[in-house]
Amino acid sequence: MGIASFWNRARSIGNGTFSQLGDVLFPNVCSYCDVDLDVEVTRRICDACLPRLSESPTHRCPKCAARCAETFQSGECPWCRGRDFRFDGAYALGHYAQNVRDAILRLKHPRQDALATAMARLLIERYAEQWEATEFDLVVPIPMHWFRRAIQGHNGPDLTATLVAKRLGIVDYPRLLVRRRRTRPQAGLTPPQRRDNVHNAFALRNGYRVEGAKVLLIDDILTTGATCSEAARTLKRAGATTVAVAVLGRAQSEV
Ligand SMILES: [Zn+2]
Ligand SMILES: [Zn+2]
């Protein structure tokens, strides 16, 4: 079987087998501020919170999703310059600050499925058309090390990945990437330390294949890009042709 037909077949199998996660009934309140909603507000975010969590379209660098001037050409973005990102593109729902930051921090706690689902849907609403045009084959969440997952109880990006895959009718591989070792939290490390911290941190689980696949990686936050770049490097070494990253929040320091 050729690579293209393999992924087409995987896509058609995927269509029929997704769980119904995301269709469960949540209380009819805004999942961010808890205000009662009218019945017809299906996104579970009130009109006041919508612009707080999903900025109106601003120019973002197509490579790293940094909010930057529209006049920057590819390669001129100050947040990309001098960086050897191994992913080909990035998409972000919002700027990692204020309400977006607060919402993402809440998602680290269990029992936040309503908010996680609402945030994922906002991300999907924003980018689904672009993703369909790219014809991604696979959606893969950035994994946690099993030890940390055991403590936290869930991995935030898993739910987003499942909902994206369901919307695109493609394969969701939540266990495709594994963390080979425990890494230190990236927060508080300098950019070079972050790169060293995640170097060779990922591997493909035995039995999975990505040759010829276009992969959409999912994470909560993109800061220096070190983690997503290392995951993209792992996927490309295994034969993935395109790897892009989608996150809820893009954190960027001023340059
Ligand atoms: Zn609200
Ligand atoms: Zn950039």
Side-chain angles (χ1 to χ4, degrees), residues 5-242:
S5 63
F6 173 82
W7 289 116
N8 285 337
R9 185 167 160 270
R11 188 180 281 131
S12 65
I13 293 169
N15 270 330
T17 55
F18 291 113
S19 77
Q20 291 304 300
L21 196 64
D23 290 339
V24 292
L25 288 175
F26 294 120
N28 202 25
V29 296
C30 172
S31 51
Y32 186 62
C33 75
D34 283 337
V35 73
D36 285 334
L37 291 173
D38 294 337
V39 173
E40 64 266 24
V41 182
T42 54
R43 69 167 78 89
R44 303 281 187 252
I45 295 288
C46 74
D47 288 344
C49 289
L50 184 60
R52 295 177 185 140
L53 298 177
S54 179
E55 66 199 10
S56 53
T58 46
H59 187 71
R60 289 194 169 274
C61 168
K63 174 86 179 187
C64 77
R67 205 161 56 175
C68 62
E70 207 160 344
T71 48
F72 288 134
Q73 301 298 311
S74 173
E76 289 182 0
C77 160
W79 289 273
C80 280
R81 193 180 294 139
R83 300 297 312 276
D84 184 22
F85 291 133
R86 300 304 174 94
F87 47 81
D88 303 289
Y91 308 86
L93 175 64
H95 195 56
Y96 186 68
Q98 299 172 325
N99 299 103
V100 172
R101 181 172 182 277
D102 174 60
I104 292 171
L105 291 175
R106 281 200 220 170
L107 300 187
K108 293 194 184 299
H109 300 284
R111 296 186 297 280
Q112 287 289 338
D113 279 2
L115 181 57
T117 300
M119 297 280 285
R121 285 182 171 167
L122 294 177
L123 183 72
I124 291 165
E125 240 175 68
R126 170 78 56 86
Y127 294 113
E129 273 184 28
Q130 288 181 53
W131 295 338
E132 278 169 344
T134 306
E135 298 187 321
F136 286 107
D137 299 294
L138 298 175
V139 181
V140 176
I142 295 282
M144 272 179 174
H145 187 265
W146 65 267
F147 185 81
R148 209 174 133 216
R149 188 189 177 96
I151 293 170
Q152 187 161 310
H154 74 297
N155 183 38
D158 285 1
L159 176 60
T160 308
T162 299
L163 295 174
V164 169
K166 188 178 171 196
R167 169 65 178 78
L168 299 181
I170 60 176
V171 180
D172 170 26
Y173 272 163
R175 303 285 166 265
L176 186 142
L177 283 176
V178 288
R179 293 251 186 188
R180 291 148 60 107
R181 56 186 167 78
R182 284 173 71 187
T183 51
R184 288 187 288 161
Q186 294 283 73
L189 300 182
T190 64
Q193 286 173 331
R194 285 177 180 231
R195 285 194 290 278
D196 287 349
N197 191 34
V198 294
H199 186 63
N200 283 331
F202 298 103
L204 240 65
R205 195 179 293 275
N206 285 342
Y208 286 89
R209 52 186 290 190
V210 295
E211 295 97 330
K214 294 180 182 177
V215 182
L216 184 60
L217 269 175
I218 307 283
D219 207 353
D220 289 335
I221 313 163
L222 192 140
T223 306
T224 62
T227 302
C228 287
S229 186
E230 182 62 23
R233 191 174 74 89
T234 304
L235 290 164
K236 287 195 166 177
R237 272 208 319 217
T241 53
T242 301

